[in-house]
Amino acid sequence: MMNKPEVLVPAGTPEKLKVAIDYGADAVYIGGERLGLRSRANNYSISDMAEGAAYAHSHGAKVYLAANIVCHENELEDNISYLTEVRDAGVDALIVSDPAIISAVLTKVPGLPVHLSTQASAVNYEAVNFWAKHGLERVVLGRETTFEEIKEIKENTDVEIEAFIQGAMCTSYSGRCVMSNYMNKRDANRGGCAQNCRFLYNLADESGSSLNGDEMFTMSAVDMSLIPVIGQMISTGVDSLKIEGRMKTIHYVSTVANVYRTAVDTYCADPEHFEVDPAWIDELAKISQRRMSFGFFNGAPTKDDELFEHTKPDLGYEFIGEVKGYQDGRVIIQERNNFSEGDELEFYGPNFYHYLTTVNDLQDEDGMKIERASHAMMICSIAIDKELPVGTMIRKKKAAKVRA
């Protein structure tokens, strides 16, 4: 029997958690107020976790908490009670890299499964089996694994395997970077990465004279997207397909969840005749991201997988808002970005639903005619002859431009 992999989507806020699940995620991963690597994110309180877990479980989904920080001395004991609260809030598993936290959870917080974080750089089945023997239920592979390596790992292990399929790559091995700490005193391994690899640099000789004129460059990697080879990835037998991006918007979250849910369901319905739908690739091109590559999937990346240039084309789409209701032939919208009478809007929803319409008879919340919805989060409405479900997202195509 074929193993249908879980679609695992980032959920940086409670709002994003609900969006991810509504748009097809089997599971989400979140960050708490302690022990995570996104210290500047809007992280979850214990009550947020409990609410999110209840919502997820009511929809047949799971919630995992990233606790993949590197602990220093005297920090661990203070967090045992916190992790007990996490378990009691209904979180389904903890994502950890530090062996001290792993040991503490397994011995002092029974009933809270542990998944090995990608920060631990597991890229061979011997390492995976080591962690399995120590009680871990799942291993998140390092992004540096190839298709052939993932297959070999899965064939030689009994533990669940999770692998990345979409999102940012790191210029350092599995995120083990000290550049941010050295340059900004912000430790990437303790939640403070300043993303120095994405800064603009110039090359100079010992005297300080530029060796490349006024040209500036970055040292970062392009993003990963495996949708063109998603059938191959599923065929490896991995248990979970992970999408990066806890700091991304609900536009990103809804889009990636929608695309990969559709792709996985399509493949599993008929693997023998599976073909990648070009519409999936086009859909992912509408969200904010860097240039894309396959990462390490087909082998070691080349210079073409590095983002040296400091400009990139604007993707040409902006997120407009969300449908909040439908009444008397009008769709009610909560606006996130400006749009005007006469603009063409694209509505999209779960199950890869899409609908195009032109803005007609734009009105504010009081029913007054307006030419432009110009205030973020304002409630407005347009005339439309089709009822669209609450939670349907809206985007607008705009003129392409080059941005720094």
Side-chain angles (χ1 to χ4, degrees):
M1 182 176 177
M2 180 178 53
N3 180 37
K4 186 173 185 177
E6 167 188 88
V7 176
L8 177 56
V9 178
T13 65
E15 179 191 27
K16 294 172 191 175
L17 180 148
K18 293 178 180 179
V19 168
I21 292 169
D22 291 348
Y23 276 73
D26 296 302
V28 298
Y29 62 101
I30 66 175
E33 294 174 337
R34 303 190 197 180
L35 301 174
L37 288 183
R38 293 291 184 272
S39 62
R40 295 172 184 268
N42 294 319
N43 292 314
Y44 287 62
S45 66
I46 294 295
S47 61
D48 289 336
M49 292 181 202
E51 182 181 337
Y55 187 85
H57 298 161
S58 71
H59 289 75
K62 295 181 178 181
V63 177
Y64 309 137
L65 175 69
N68 43 3
I69 198 171
V70 174
C71 255
H72 282 224
E73 208 60 63
N74 302 317
E75 292 182 337
L76 191 56
E77 285 302 318
D78 292 340
N79 283 298
I80 296 301
S81 60
Y82 170 72
L83 292 173
T84 301
E85 290 183 81
V86 166
R87 178 201 62 194
D88 295 344
V91 168
D92 295 281
L94 207 62
I95 307 169
V96 186
S97 63
D98 191 319
I101 302 178
I102 292 172
S103 178
V105 173
L106 293 176
T107 57
K108 298 180 180 181
V109 194
L112 182 59
V114 179
H115 297 174
L116 186 72
S117 170
T118 188
Q119 298 293 124
S121 308
V123 293
N124 58 72
Y125 68 79
E126 292 89 348
V128 171
N129 286 332
F130 169 86
W131 290 110
K133 289 177 183 177
H134 283 76
L136 275 67
E137 297 188 7
R138 177 183 293 187
V139 170
V140 186
L141 298 180
R143 290 174 176 84
E144 298 78 21
T145 45
T146 67
F147 167 67
E148 293 297 336
E149 289 170 336
I150 295 170
K151 273 203 314 181
E152 185 174 10
I153 290 169
K154 188 59 185 172
E155 289 167 359
N156 288 278
T157 58
D158 292 324
V159 70
E160 290 184 2
I161 297 297
E162 183 177 306
F164 280 89
I165 54 170
Q166 179 83 27
M169 298 288 286
C170 186
T171 194
S172 294
Y173 207 96
S174 289
R176 295 185 176 191
C177 181
V178 297
M179 187 184 299
S180 175
N181 205 351
Y182 179 78
M183 296 176 66
N184 300 84
K185 295 184 179 180
R186 284 172 51 181
D187 193 340
N189 297 297
R190 290 175 60 78
C193 181
Q195 298 197 11
N196 299 68
C197 59
R198 304 199 188 279
F199 291 4
L200 295 179
Y201 294 90
N202 199 323
L203 187 64
D205 61 19
E206 291 181 352
S207 69
S209 299
S210 174
L211 298 177
N212 58 324
D214 295 330
E215 185 178 359
M216 304 290 282
F217 62 91
T218 73
M219 296 185 288
S220 64
V222 302
D223 286 359
M224 170 202 284
S225 180
L226 296 188
I227 195 67
V229 291
I230 191 63
Q232 287 178 266
M233 176 58 95
I234 298 172
S235 74
T236 64
V238 294
D239 301 275
S240 181
L241 303 174
K242 187 168 194 169
I243 298 164
E244 184 274 340
R246 274 196 288 136
M247 303 288 282
K248 299 283 192 177
T249 65
I250 60 170
H251 182 208
Y252 176 92
V253 168
S254 58
T255 300
V256 293
N258 215 359
V259 168
Y260 283 101
R261 170 81 280 142
T262 304
V264 169
D265 288 350
T266 303
Y267 177 90
C268 292
D270 189 1
E272 186 177 350
H273 300 98
F274 175 77
E275 292 184 0
V276 172
D277 188 338
W280 303 339
I281 299 174
D282 292 343
E283 188 77 356
L284 291 178
K286 296 175 182 178
I287 54 179
S288 180
Q289 56 196 349
R290 303 170 189 91
R291 286 193 294 107
M292 311 303 292
S293 80
F294 292 162
F296 285 78
F297 191 76
N298 291 328
T302 68
K303 63 180 179 63
D304 294 328
D305 300 303
E306 293 294 316
L307 195 68
F308 296 117
E309 70 274 14
H310 68 279
T311 60
K312 61 181 180 179
D314 191 288
L315 296 175
Y317 284 83
E318 61 181 341
F319 181 54
I320 293 302
E322 183 179 359
V323 172
K324 291 297 183 180
Y326 185 83
Q327 185 176 0
D328 301 328
R330 304 188 65 82
V331 63
I332 301 166
I333 297 169
Q334 184 175 59
E335 182 253 8
R336 300 294 181 101
N337 283 297
N338 296 347
F339 67 97
S340 302
E341 184 84 13
D343 285 347
E344 184 177 69
L345 301 184
E346 177 186 355
F347 293 79
Y348 69 94
N351 302 311
F352 214 66
Y353 171 83
H354 290 79
Y355 179 74
L356 292 173
T357 192
T358 300
V359 177
N360 178 42
D361 190 20
L362 179 59
Q363 296 180 8
D364 65 14
E365 189 173 10
D366 297 322
M368 300 296 294
K369 176 81 173 174
I370 56 175
E371 291 297 316
R372 185 173 180 81
S374 56
H375 305 296
M377 305 303 288
M378 72 177 289
I379 299 297
C380 54
S381 67
I382 62 173
I384 190 172
D385 59 2
K386 186 177 184 65
E387 182 171 357
L388 298 169
V390 172
T392 300
M393 301 293 174
I394 314 164
R395 60 167 73 101
K396 180 182 76 171
K397 192 171 184 179
K398 58 181 180 178
K401 60 183 179 180
V402 174
R403 66 185 180 190

